[in-house]
């Protein structure tokens, strides 16, 4: 039994390859003077290396690998060898594998034996992963096997040894750039090399060791490179020289706070990693949040750890806060218990944090996290993960300013936490408490920084998985808390978005900070001189939000309570409003007029308890009142039903702000109106399109809706009985029947309303819309279309009528006409009284345009419209 090694340019590792095989018998090295491109190779160096290692050398001229290998095997057979190990000069075999192969040859178990192979990249400490699927034949029976081509053989029994029998170590891509350049220019596959591979992969990898798909001809064959401890058989091959990463002499004091909720193995691994870097850490504080297992006991076994136990389960934020109260470090790192921290990562994170007074918090890269901190990793086990972390630490990549850092490993300056506060405990168990803290840090003009040279392992979602709450429900609930907490910042235009939410990075406009706007509102409110008038009954569910939203806007606030039995009156008193009481008079207008009696200012503004108004809208109405102090003018402000969605929802115009003139009164027992009274006083009407009242607390419960319907029916009938010819009161009856899906009655009332109304009255276009929709619901498609078209004849630009006409035309297959109607809809609100779903101006219209385009066969335009709809 002997070893056959073929080479023409593999002198680099030939000595190691030869030495590994000598215990199995003679080694013959077949050296070709010619490279595979026909040029003369460095064969002398190959010959010298083989001779020094104790191998016999045979020199010849072989223009390609197949001829070279065939000639070598024929020579081995002529020398009387029955079996041969067939290797290249850059392949080193493990002694375990060599001995396994010798045993197979001796027992004649198989004639062709394949083995598993590890391929190395640049250095013997970097190996291709996943392992190549190629399993080269290393042992052949020279009597039974015939060489076919390159490393392909036929004949005899085939056996593939698993990696547990030992590995072949392939050093094809180990070495300097000169060697690799010669390799890709002279080997048989030189014409298949990917364009710019040498610069974009081979050289670029030195700067970015996360690069993937590295093979020069079949990129995905070398998917990634894992750094491993150098195998013993490769110990003599030079490896990369690395500089140790050391902390600066001015390294600050560091407190690490670990909230713990179960996970015995996780906390063990975490604390073991920290025990290796205790010289960098001032204190490690573990706060056990009533773990359901023995995790706290595991933590107690580590020396130098401060372990405290919550008396009740507090959740992530409150548990971190409890740990902070015991800490002393200049830097505080909140660390999940399912993490592993290495020395380079900690050093880089802390030094990045302390590099500028403007940096408030720093986070690392990880294998499992959200947002922009997750990177593809190359390690395949926790044993090699620290080597990967070292590689990340060695990369020459600057820190990156971000608007969100995930709380699994968050380093924050103590002085910053003292200024912005700790985790907000209203987020309970967790989720979005880190978004909230990051946003507060940014809001105080500090920077958040991702340290791109720090990697911290994170198992991910371990604590959360041990809790009973469903993660998706918790996510939804806490996102709502987060968005609601900071909605004023978005509404005011102070922030373009919140930390961690979709879109470009957060940008602040300091002029629109809510706190500053509140000061402006307070100054303008005195000049505007407005009384807020409200009527309420059992509104504890929504009243606080309503009064909070306008608390700085009005110098006088009046509430008339009509019989509350809940906490409504207490909430009103809490906000210091002037509270009056009366029995429910079975009429909204009577109750509202009672509130008007108590107004003591120049202007009156009315709201419902389930309304809110944002700061910019308040500024708009205050400025309008100030500009119009001596004018007889009232202002229409749209009321948006925002429960229907942020981009859609019905919007109804109401006269909300009007002068406090004697004799001004609401009319109608339900759907009460102030406009007729104002017109009698010759008060002009102006639209305030830059303001909006949000109707967002609507009671959609079955009980609430049932009570509402019964009340409406009673009051609508009362209105009609008192004035059966009044077109608006007839309209209210028809509208109510429509929304109750009593379409036959709705049609009767709506037709009657048209008979009693003048074409220019503001409610008429809505009558046509509801009338057409009721007909369509009853299956009268022709009648519906005719009704919409009739409405458009008098109101050609009405968005709702155009939209409904488009739907009907689409039903009849008149796609071009339908598209024409949709295209006529303007995106801005009309300059007259209106009431419709504002979604038809944008995304609902875009969606329907996409539908008619695809029905017409115009697929590319349909895609464009649907993309536009999604973007709203």
């Amino acid at each position: 039994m002997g070893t056959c090694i073929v080479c023409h340019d593999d002198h680099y590792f030939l000595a190691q390859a030869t030495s590994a095989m000598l215990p199995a018998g003679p080694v013959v090295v077949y050296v070709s003077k010619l490279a595979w491109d026909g040029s003369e190779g460095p064969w002398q160096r190959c010959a010298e290396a083989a001779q020094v290692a104790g191998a016999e050398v045979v020199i010849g001229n072989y223009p390609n690998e197949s001829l070279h290998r065939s000639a070598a095997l024929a020579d081995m057979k002529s020398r009387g060898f029955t079996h041969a190990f067939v290797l290249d000069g850059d392949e080193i075999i493990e002694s375990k594998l060599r001995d396994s192969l010798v045993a197979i040859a001796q027992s004649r178990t198989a004639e062709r034996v394949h083995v598993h192979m590890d391929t190395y990249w640049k250095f013997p400490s970097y190996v291709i992963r996943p392992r190549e699927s190629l399993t080269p034949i290393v042992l052949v029976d020279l009597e039974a096997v015939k060489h076919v081509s390159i490393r392909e053989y036929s004949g005899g029994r085939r056996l593939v040894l698993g990696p547990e029998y030992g590995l072949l170590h392939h050093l094809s891509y180990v070495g300097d750039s000169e060697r690799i350049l010669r390799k890709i220019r002279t080997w048989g596959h030189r014409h298949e090399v990917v364009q710019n591979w040498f610069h974009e992969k081979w050289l670029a990898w030195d700067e970015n060791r996360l690069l993937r798909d590295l093979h020069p001809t079949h990129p995905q064959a070398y998917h990634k490179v894992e750094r491993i401890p150098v195998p013993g058989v490769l110990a003599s091959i030079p490896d990369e020289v690395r500089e140790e990463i050391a902390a600066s002499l001015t390294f600050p004091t560091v407190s690490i706070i670990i909230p713990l909720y179960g996970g015995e193995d996780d906390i063990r691994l975490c604390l073991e990693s920290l025990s290796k870097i205790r010289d960098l850490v001032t204190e490690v504080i573990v706060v056990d949040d009533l773990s359901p297992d023995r995790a706290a006991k595991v933590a107690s076994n580590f020396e130098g750890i401060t372990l405290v136990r919550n008396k009740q389960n507090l959740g992530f934020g409150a548990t971190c806060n409890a740990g902070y109260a015991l800490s002393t470090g200049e830097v505080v790192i909140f660390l999940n218990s399912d993490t592993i921290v290495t020395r380079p990562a900690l050093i880089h994170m802390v030094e990045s944090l302390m590099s500028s007074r403007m940096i408030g918090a720093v986070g690392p890269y990880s294998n499992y996290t959200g947002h922009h901190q997750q990177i593809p990793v190359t390690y395949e086990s926790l044993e090699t993960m620290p080597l990967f972390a070292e590689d990340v630490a060695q990369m020459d990549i600057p820190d990156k300013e971000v608007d969100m850092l995930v709380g699994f490993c968050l380093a924050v300056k103590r002085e910053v936490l003292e200024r912005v506060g700790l985790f907000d405990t209203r987020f309970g168990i967790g989720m979005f408490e880190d978004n909230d803290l990051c946003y507060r840090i940014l809001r105080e003009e500090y920077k958040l920084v991702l340290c791109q040279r720090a990697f911290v392992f994170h198992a991910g979602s371990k604590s959360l998985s041990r809790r009973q709450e469903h993660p998706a429900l918790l996510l939804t609930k806490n996102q709502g808390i987060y968005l609601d907490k900071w909605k004023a910042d978005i509404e005011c235009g102070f922030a373009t978005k919140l930390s961690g939410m979709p879109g470009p990075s957060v940008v602040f406009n300091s002029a629109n900070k809510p706190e500053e706007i509140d000061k402006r509102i307070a100054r303008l409110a005195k000049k505007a001189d407005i009384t807020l008038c409200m009527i309420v009954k059992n509104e504890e569910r929504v009243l606080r939000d309503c009064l909070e939203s306008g608390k700085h806007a009005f110098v006088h606030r009046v509430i008339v309570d009509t019989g509350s039995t809940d906490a409504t009156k207490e909430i009103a008193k809490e906000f210091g409003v002037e509270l009056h009481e009366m029995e429910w008079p079975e009429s909204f207008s009577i109750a509202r007029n009672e509130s008007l009696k108590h107004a003591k200012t120049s202007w009156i503004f009315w709201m419902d308890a389930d309304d809110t108004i944002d700061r910019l809208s308040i500024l708009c109405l205050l400025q309008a009142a100030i500009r119009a102090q001596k004018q007889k003018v009232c202002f229409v402000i749209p009321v948006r039903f925002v429960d229907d969605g942020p981009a859609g929802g019905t919007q109804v115009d109401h006269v909300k702000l009007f002068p406090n003139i004697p004799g001004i009164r609401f009319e109608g027992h339900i759907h009460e109106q102030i406009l007729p009274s104002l017109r009698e006083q010759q008060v002009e009407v102006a639209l305030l399109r830059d303001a909006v009242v949000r109707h967002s607390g609507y009671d959609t419960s079955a009980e609430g809706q049932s009570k509402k319907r019964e009340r409406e029916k009673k009051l609508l009938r009362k209105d009609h009985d008192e004035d059966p010819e009044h077109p608006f009161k007839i309209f209210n009856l028809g509208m109510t029947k429509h929304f109750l899906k009593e379409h036959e009655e709705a049609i009767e009332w709506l037709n009657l309303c048209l008979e009693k109304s003048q074409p220019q009255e503001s409610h008429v276009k809505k009558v046509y819309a509801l009338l057409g929709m009721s007909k369509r619901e009853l299956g009268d498609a022709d009648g519906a279309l005719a009704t919409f078209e009739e409405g458009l004849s008098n109101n050609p630009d009405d968005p709702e009528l155009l939209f409904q006409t488009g739907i009907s035309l689409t039903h009849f297959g008149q796609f071009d006409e339908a598209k024409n109607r949709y295209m006529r809809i303007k995106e801005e609100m009309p300059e007259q009284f209106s009431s419709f779903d504002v979604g038809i101006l944008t995304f609902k219209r875009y969606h329907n345009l996409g539908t008619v385009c695809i029905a017409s066969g115009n697929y590319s335009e349909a895609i464009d419209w649907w993309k536009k709809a999604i973007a709203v």
Side-chain angles (χ1 to χ4, degrees), residues 97 114-118 131-132 135 160-163 166-168:
L97 177 59
H114 297 250
V115 301
H116 282 263
M117 175 174 69
D118 267 346
R131 183 173 289 139
E132 286 191 81
T135 52
V160 180
L161 287 185
L167 291 171
L168 179 67

Side-chain angles (χ1 to χ4, degrees), residues 535-643:
I535 60 173
V536 298
K537 183 177 181 179
N538 293 333
E539 301 288 4
E540 66 177 3
R541 184 176 55 88
V542 292
L543 183 58
R544 179 172 279 104
D545 287 342
C546 175
L547 294 176
E548 181 69 30
S549 72
K551 65 181 180 181
H552 300 296
F554 311 107
V555 294
H556 186 208
R557 290 181 292 180
V558 174
I559 285 182
V560 173
D561 187 272
T562 60
S564 292
T565 56
D566 62 3
T568 296
K569 288 182 282 189
E570 286 72 19
I571 294 171
K573 292 174 182 177
E574 176 187 328
F575 278 86
V577 304
E578 182 180 316
L579 181 65
H580 299 271
E581 297 183 52
M582 69 181 300
E583 290 185 11
W584 169 238
E586 298 295 339
S587 171
F588 283 96
S589 60
I590 293 175
R592 290 206 187 278
N593 291 334
E594 178 65 23
S595 73
L596 300 187
K597 288 181 185 178
H598 303 285
K600 303 173 183 177
T601 57
S602 303
W603 293 86
I604 294 173
F605 186 81
W606 68 274
M607 292 173 69
D608 287 329
D610 48 3
D611 290 340
T612 59
I613 184 166
D614 64 72
R615 288 170 173 83
L616 295 185
S617 294
I618 289 171
L619 282 176
C620 182
L621 71 91
L622 291 177
Q623 290 164 348
I626 292 169
R627 287 194 300 266
Q629 284 287 14
K630 296 183 180 181
Q631 300 178 34
K632 291 185 73 172
V633 61
C634 63
F635 294 96
V636 173
I637 297 177
V639 177
R640 175 81 61 84
F641 287 70
V642 296
D643 287 342

Side-chain angles (χ1 to χ4, degrees), residues 789-801:
E789 294 284 18
E790 183 182 340
L792 283 172
S793 65
N794 292 320
N795 303 277
D797 297 323
D798 183 69
E800 187 172 29
L801 286 171

Side-chain angles (χ1 to χ4, degrees), residues 709-819:
R709 283 194 295 271
E710 291 303 314
R711 182 186 64 199
E712 284 186 351
K713 287 179 180 179
K714 182 177 181 180
L715 295 179
L716 284 167
R717 180 58 63 182
K718 186 176 180 181
D719 259 345
H720 183 257
D721 290 345
E722 290 181 1
D723 193 355
E725 298 296 313
H726 196 295
F728 187 71
K729 294 179 180 180
I730 297 171
F731 164 72
N732 287 335
L733 278 165
M735 177 179 63
T736 301
K737 293 295 183 180
H738 170 83
F739 288 116
L740 290 174
K741 301 187 184 301
E742 298 172 7
H743 294 296
E744 291 181 351
E745 292 186 60
I747 290 171
E748 291 179 13
W749 287 112
L750 293 169
N751 277 327
L752 181 60
C753 180
L754 287 177
E755 293 176 14
K756 303 294 183 181
S757 301
Q758 297 298 316
Q760 70 274 14
E761 291 185 80
S762 60
H763 63 267
V764 168
K765 52 183 178 289
K766 188 68 177 182
V767 174
Y768 278 111
L770 295 176
L771 182 59
M773 286 188 281
S774 279
K775 289 179 179 180
R776 191 164 60 204
E777 288 295 320
L778 293 176
D780 184 7
D782 292 311
L785 179 58
T787 299
F788 296 139
E789 294 284 18
E790 183 182 340
L792 283 172
S793 65
N794 292 320
N795 303 277
D797 297 323
D798 183 69
E800 187 172 29
L801 286 171
L802 288 168
F803 188 81
Q804 294 299 335
T805 306
I807 293 174
S808 289
L809 289 168
T810 301
H811 170 78
F812 287 111
Q814 299 178 39
F815 303 123
D816 290 340
E817 286 298 310
K819 181 179 180 182

Side-chain angles (χ1 to χ4, degrees), residues 136-344:
I137 294 175
V138 170
L139 177 66
V140 296
D141 184 327
L142 295 172
E143 297 295 333
V145 172
K146 179 181 179 181
H147 179 246
V148 177
S149 174
I150 306 179
R151 299 191 79 158
E152 297 179 20
Y153 303 85
S154 64
R157 293 167 297 172
R158 177 176 178 268
L159 176 66
V160 180
L161 287 185
E164 64 272 17
Y165 289 93
L167 291 171
L168 179 67
H169 298 274
H170 185 206
L171 302 172
S172 182
Y173 291 91
V174 174
D176 57 27
S177 295
E178 179 185 354
R179 176 186 181 233
I180 300 305
L181 266 178
R182 180 170 177 80
K183 173 184 177 66
I184 63 174
R185 288 172 178 172
T186 61
W187 68 340
H189 301 285
R190 59 190 177 277
H191 302 301
E192 303 172 41
V193 175
V194 173
Q195 188 176 8
N196 297 325
W197 173 85
F198 184 74
H199 290 91
E200 294 178 2
K201 296 294 184 179
W202 178 260
L203 295 181
W205 182 87
D206 292 330
E207 300 299 323
N208 180 8
R209 301 195 176 185
L210 304 181
L211 282 179
R212 298 193 169 215
D213 299 331
L214 300 171
H215 195 279
T217 62
H218 298 80
Q220 292 183 347
Y222 288 1
H223 181 56
K224 64 180 181 181
V225 177
E226 179 183 19
R227 185 180 167 198
I228 61 172
V230 177
V233 71
L234 305 182
S236 62
I237 297 173
D239 193 29
E240 184 177 25
V241 177
R242 296 172 178 271
E243 294 183 8
E244 183 179 352
I245 296 173
S248 65
L249 295 176
T250 56
F251 205 73
T253 54
V254 176
S255 298
I256 295 181
I257 297 169
I258 303 174
L260 179 62
Y261 184 74
E264 300 170 24
D265 292 336
D266 293 330
I267 189 63
R268 181 182 294 108
L269 291 173
C270 179
L271 294 178
E272 284 176 353
S273 73
L274 296 179
S275 67
K276 299 173 184 177
I277 53 175
R278 282 308 306 269
D279 57 309
L280 302 174
V281 178
T282 307
E283 57 194 0
V284 176
I285 301 170
V286 178
V287 185
D288 180 58
D289 197 25
L290 297 187
S291 291
D293 56 14
R294 299 179 69 258
K297 176 64 176 176
V298 172
S300 69
N301 292 330
F302 283 82
E303 294 184 3
I305 302 296
T306 300
L307 175 65
V308 293
R309 290 179 168 89
N310 292 338
K311 294 181 179 180
Q312 60 183 16
N313 190 268
L314 300 177
F316 179 86
T319 299
C320 286
N321 294 349
Y324 177 82
L326 301 173
S327 68
T328 60
E330 300 166 78
V331 172
V332 178
I333 299 178
F334 299 105
L335 185 69
N336 279 19
S337 60
D338 57 351
T339 57
I340 297 176
V341 184
T342 63
R343 176 178 291 272

